[in-house]
Amino acid sequence: MRLTELPIELIASVLGFLDCPTLLKASQTNHQLHDVVRQDPSLRYAIELYADGLADNGTSNMLFSDRIEMLARRRKAWRTLNWEHAHLPKYSGFCTAYELVSGVFMKNLDPCQDLAELHEMRAMGWQPRDFAIDPTQDLGIFLRIVENHTQVIVLHLLTVSTSKRHPQAQSPAIFYTIPSVGRLPIESAFLQIAGDVVALFTLGDHDSHRLLAWNWTTGSLLFDIDSNWSELPHSLRPKQPVLGKSIVDFAFLTERSFVLSDRGSPGSLNVCVFDGLNPGEPHCVASLLLPPLAEGVEVLEVGAAGSDERPFSTDHQARIHLVHITYVSKERVSYRVLLVVHHRIYLKCLEDYRRTGTYTAVPWEQWGPANSRLIGSGERLPRFPWLRYVHGTKLVLPAVSIRVLDFCRGACRGVGPSATACESVAPFDAEYDAPFACSKPSITRCMWIFAKDVITSLPYFAVSKSVPFALHALLMDEDRILGIKDISEVTPPSPLTITREDTSGLHLFCI
């Protein structure tokens, strides 16, 4: 008996075992299978999720038809940027750090007031050096660094909802003293959470960097690696050093892997793995090399950033990462670009390592053109490489207006008459404000930067929304864009600072 001879309900049940790429191919083999896929709500829901780069959470009791309708409303809202409502929250107090994750907004000094759907956080009573939040775990981790004769890292493990000790943490705080050998003052510190792991990346004088990670539930240190490892005694040096003086940024890929941004010519994105339960050195499994450079050009900076009960969330395999790169010539002329990298290339590096067990340096030509999109507009790019410019499959840009670029699988699907397929429009083109889809490769001329022209082809859909004020920075989560208003009158100027007199510095737009 052939599949098409079965009752429609059984055909739909069989097709439900297929992954989406295979399901789409099966629906194109004949009219009967096409009609089954089109008419069955569960199969349609799976395809719509796949097209938008989303995955089902498995926690909702909503009907599939209702989920499809919610997906359609969400897609239309992001494609038109027609806000359901716009709310102007009132905030005051100096602030140098923000987070917006899954509907929770937090700043690092004064207590946050009610922000529409966003939750309220109470003041800590002291100013953390940095913090990270994961509302899905009701987790907030707050950093203190005590520097006297010693250098002590203190991580306070609290709930976001009550500001009390997190119930899954064996201790209310993690204390760690930095070893005296090679210790240098810490200028900047950045926290990130991935599941049961919290990592701290620090920057100091003389290109000194440090990367530490703990399992926050047990409080155990997983690793402490230092860019000054060559100055350590041989007995203390790492067997496979991954952190050198050319490493300038860090970002989680998964709960057990991360990427290090390396500015050593021509620049690279180094994929590393580690054991999240037991102490041990991380090791590099692959390096994705950036485009070859012209003679005399150096990489000055390179940094990478990775994104209510809902029936769906971002598909892990569909995410994008944003890489900020600054190039400098022998004459010290600089030029900045953004490189959007699809998460699938990182996953491929991890899979290749699991299969072969060997490190691989992947030339740009073998991974870059098909898995990235280079955006080069010099001074039009955001001044600050802010982590929340990117979320899931989307990138938001504070240009003349708010501009959102969506790199989901169905980015160029169903482009209507209001949007045009266009390969010549730059994402920062202020003269072109209409929605457009870019499915063709773009060419970034070599100028004085690259050894040859750079071709990238990751498809995207772009849409803009005018606002009556200038924005210096933006934050984004699943359904919200939070704009930080231009407050250039502040001294020293910083888009991440709000004075007590400026009570309208934050503007919330809800999709």
Side-chain angles (χ1 to χ4, degrees):
M1 178 180 290
R2 294 182 299 178
L3 176 63
T4 53
E5 296 175 350
L6 295 172
I8 292 178
E9 294 80 5
L10 289 180
I11 296 176
S13 179
V14 171
L15 293 178
F17 288 98
L18 302 178
D19 59 35
C20 277
T22 308
L23 178 61
L24 287 170
K25 292 178 182 178
S27 69
Q28 297 170 359
T29 57
N30 63 56
H31 291 292
Q32 185 176 355
L33 292 183
H34 175 79
D35 291 342
V36 171
V37 172
R38 183 172 58 86
Q39 296 172 8
D40 185 86
S42 64
L43 299 179
R44 280 183 54 207
Y45 175 62
I47 290 176
E48 295 302 322
L49 280 177
Y50 179 78
D52 284 0
L54 300 172
D56 189 84
N57 287 336
T59 58
S60 176
N61 294 320
M62 293 177 60
L63 297 175
F64 285 113
S65 56
D66 292 337
R67 302 186 202 189
I68 293 172
E69 184 179 347
M70 180 182 290
L71 273 175
R73 290 198 304 267
R74 181 182 185 275
R75 182 184 301 139
K76 181 179 179 180
W78 277 109
R79 288 231 166 178
T80 60
L81 293 188
N82 288 329
W83 319 115
E84 184 175 312
H85 63 271
H87 178 68
L88 305 182
K90 302 297 183 181
Y91 280 91
S92 63
F94 286 99
C95 186
T96 57
Y98 296 87
E99 273 281 27
L100 175 65
V101 184
S102 298
V104 177
F105 173 76
M106 187 184 298
K107 62 193 184 78
N108 74 339
L109 186 57
D110 290 346
C112 292
Q113 304 164 26
D114 182 51
L115 185 58
E117 297 97 332
L118 308 191
H119 298 302
E120 179 180 344
M121 271 301 292
R122 294 187 301 208
M124 297 290 301
W126 45 270
Q127 183 171 356
R129 187 74 173 265
D130 192 34
F131 64 87
I133 59 176
D134 182 354
T136 64
Q137 303 185 83
D138 195 21
L139 173 65
I141 300 181
F142 302 84
L143 169 68
R144 297 178 74 180
I145 301 177
V146 182
E147 294 188 273
N148 293 319
H149 300 295
T150 60
Q151 200 172 63
V152 181
I153 304 295
V154 186
L155 300 176
H156 295 266
L157 311 172
L158 307 176
T159 62
V160 174
S161 57
T162 65
S163 299
K164 296 180 179 179
R165 172 180 173 175
H166 198 284
Q168 295 182 22
Q170 293 184 8
S171 174
I174 296 173
F175 294 83
Y176 179 69
T177 301
I178 300 292
S180 59
V181 179
R183 181 194 301 157
L184 290 172
I186 296 175
E187 293 184 351
S188 302
F190 308 95
L191 280 177
Q192 288 188 39
I193 300 172
D196 58 357
V197 177
V198 57
L200 172 65
F201 185 68
T202 68
L203 305 175
D205 294 332
H206 311 295
D207 290 326
S208 63
H209 317 300
R210 201 174 202 106
L211 179 60
L212 310 96
W214 295 264
N215 184 302
W216 63 265
T217 62
T218 64
S220 60
L221 178 73
L222 300 176
F223 57 81
D224 174 7
I225 53 178
D226 186 358
S227 63
N228 295 316
W229 59 268
S230 61
E231 301 173 12
L232 299 175
H234 285 277
S235 60
L236 299 178
R237 293 183 182 181
K239 297 178 181 179
Q240 295 180 319
V242 300
L243 196 66
K245 292 184 178 296
S246 60
I247 300 296
V248 291
D249 203 3
F250 156 87
F252 274 117
L253 294 175
T254 68
E255 294 182 8
R256 299 296 184 263
S257 64
F258 57 86
V259 60
L260 295 173
S261 302
D262 192 335
R263 68 183 181 192
S265 183
S268 64
L269 304 172
N270 301 335
V271 181
C272 304
V273 297
F274 67 97
D275 186 333
L277 299 176
N278 304 301
E281 296 176 12
H283 53 280
C284 185
V285 303
S287 294
L288 300 174
L289 304 183
L290 297 178
L293 302 178
E295 183 179 355
V297 176
E298 301 175 2
V299 178
L300 183 63
E301 296 175 348
V302 55
S307 358
D308 308 283
E309 180 193 355
R310 300 202 174 273
F312 42 76
S313 57
T314 301
D315 182 356
H316 185 64
Q317 299 185 17
R319 292 165 48 202
I320 60 170
H321 296 256
L322 182 63
V323 182
H324 300 252
I325 312 172
T326 302
Y327 296 102
V328 62
S329 68
K330 290 185 292 186
E331 295 78 17
R332 312 313 293 173
V333 177
S334 62
Y335 190 82
R336 298 184 299 149
V337 300
L338 295 181
L339 181 68
V340 178
V341 179
H342 200 283
H343 191 65
R344 65 187 175 220
I345 187 61
Y346 292 121
L347 296 180
K348 184 179 184 303
C349 291
L350 295 172
E351 180 60 32
D352 289 346
Y353 176 77
R354 281 191 287 266
R355 188 178 67 255
T356 65
T358 58
Y359 163 84
T360 305
V362 187
W364 166 261
E365 291 77 10
Q366 294 183 16
W367 76 270
N371 296 285
S372 69
R373 178 72 72 163
L374 189 64
I375 303 171
S377 295
E379 291 305 315
R380 288 189 179 183
L381 298 183
R383 287 169 42 202
F384 292 80
W386 190 236
L387 180 65
R388 297 301 170 195
Y389 282 145
V390 60
H391 179 84
T393 64
K394 296 179 179 64
L395 166 66
V396 61
L397 302 172
V400 176
S401 57
I402 297 177
R403 181 158 291 182
V404 176
L405 275 56
D406 192 349
F407 291 85
C408 70
R409 299 181 182 98
C412 300
R413 185 185 70 159
V415 176
S418 62
T420 58
C422 183
E423 58 179 318
S424 60
V425 177
F428 282 91
D429 193 339
E431 303 301 323
Y432 197 90
D433 208 32
F436 66 92
C438 186
S439 59
K440 297 182 180 180
S442 60
I443 301 176
T444 302
R445 299 302 177 187
C446 59
M447 300 186 293
W448 52 266
I449 303 170
F450 305 110
K452 58 181 181 180
D453 293 347
V454 178
I455 299 176
T456 53
S457 58
L458 194 63
Y460 66 88
F461 179 87
V463 61
S464 299
K465 180 77 172 183
S466 298
V467 290
F469 41 78
L471 294 171
H472 270 190
L474 294 164
L475 299 88
M476 176 172 56
D477 69 359
E478 296 91 339
D479 301 302
R480 304 164 186 84
I481 295 176
L482 188 65
I484 302 177
K485 190 177 179 181
D486 182 349
I487 47 175
S488 55
E489 68 273 11
V490 178
T491 304
S494 170
L496 306 182
T497 300
I498 300 175
T499 67
R500 295 187 181 278
E501 292 73 32
D502 185 357
T503 59
S504 60
L506 300 184
H507 296 262
L508 177 68
F509 306 97
C510 296
I511 295 298

